[in-house]
Amino acid sequence: MTPDGKRRIGSFLSSLYGTIPAGLRRGFGLRILLYHSVTDNPVHDPYGMNVSVHSFANQIQMLSKDSSIDVVSLDVLRMEETLRGPVNGRQKIAITFDDGYRNVLYEAVPILGEYRLPFTLFLTTDFIGADSSLYLTGRELKDLCHIEGAGIGS
């Protein structure tokens, strides 16, 4: 990774804590990273919410290497423990995706799998089975259910 890339990722991670009072920056509560689309060729991105594959991979790599962070699941059975606060003094972060874009399965999930990080995909139910190449199909959702660390919500 280039020095400029490291600086940009560091700035991104620093911005996660920028609006949190200093006494609450580490070890309390849960922070959620929300993504929508992860692709180098966004077909439909009117609000500028797409993240390039390279940028996403760099962010995930930084999270996985930061010993002060635990990336956690939003599994309902573990949520009470997660929200209780620090068990090991590390900041808890959850990774989520909104809307059910197909590129999440093919671009983001392999990167998350490489680092064995959990994530949750929140679907817009109207998009399931929609006649669109942008969103996951029913078959792809079933495949996603079998991926370790994957969670699905609506």
Side-chain angles (χ1 to χ4, degrees):
M1 180 182 304
T2 67
D4 183 56
K6 287 181 181 179
R7 182 187 52 74
R8 288 189 352 219
I9 301 255
S11 294
F12 163 77
L13 292 174
S14 294
S15 72
L16 295 176
Y17 301 108
T19 59
I20 302 167
L24 298 178
R25 286 189 181 158
R26 294 273 183 198
F28 291 93
L30 171 68
R31 307 292 180 256
I32 297 177
L33 294 181
L34 166 64
Y35 295 94
H36 282 263
S37 174
V38 178
T39 183
D40 290 328
N41 302 305
V43 175
H44 180 73
D45 189 23
Y47 303 109
M49 294 188 288
N50 181 70
V51 175
S52 74
V53 175
H54 179 74
S55 180
F56 180 77
N58 285 338
Q59 292 169 24
I60 297 306
Q61 180 185 39
M62 292 281 291
L63 286 173
S64 70
K65 290 184 175 185
D66 189 331
S67 62
S68 68
I69 293 174
D70 280 337
V71 178
V72 298
S73 169
L74 287 182
D75 184 323
V76 174
L77 297 176
R78 296 184 208 155
M79 188 53 63
E80 183 180 338
E81 175 185 320
T82 297
L83 293 175
R84 243 187 267 135
V87 173
N88 56 13
R90 291 186 255 195
Q91 175 65 57
K92 292 176 174 64
I93 293 180
I95 299 170
T96 68
F97 299 90
D98 273 3
D99 300 329
Y101 282 98
R102 177 176 276 149
N103 57 47
V104 169
L105 178 61
Y106 298 105
E107 302 287 0
V109 169
I111 294 167
L112 292 164
E114 180 180 338
Y115 295 99
R116 303 194 70 178
L117 297 179
F119 64 94
T120 302
L121 175 68
F122 290 98
L123 300 168
T124 301
T125 55
D126 285 348
F127 297 162
I128 299 172
D131 188 22
S132 171
S133 62
L134 294 176
Y135 302 103
L136 292 163
T137 65
R139 178 73 230 156
E140 289 167 326
L141 287 172
K142 287 179 185 176
D143 292 344
L144 194 61
C145 289
H146 299 289
I147 294 174
E148 183 179 350
I152 297 177
S154 178

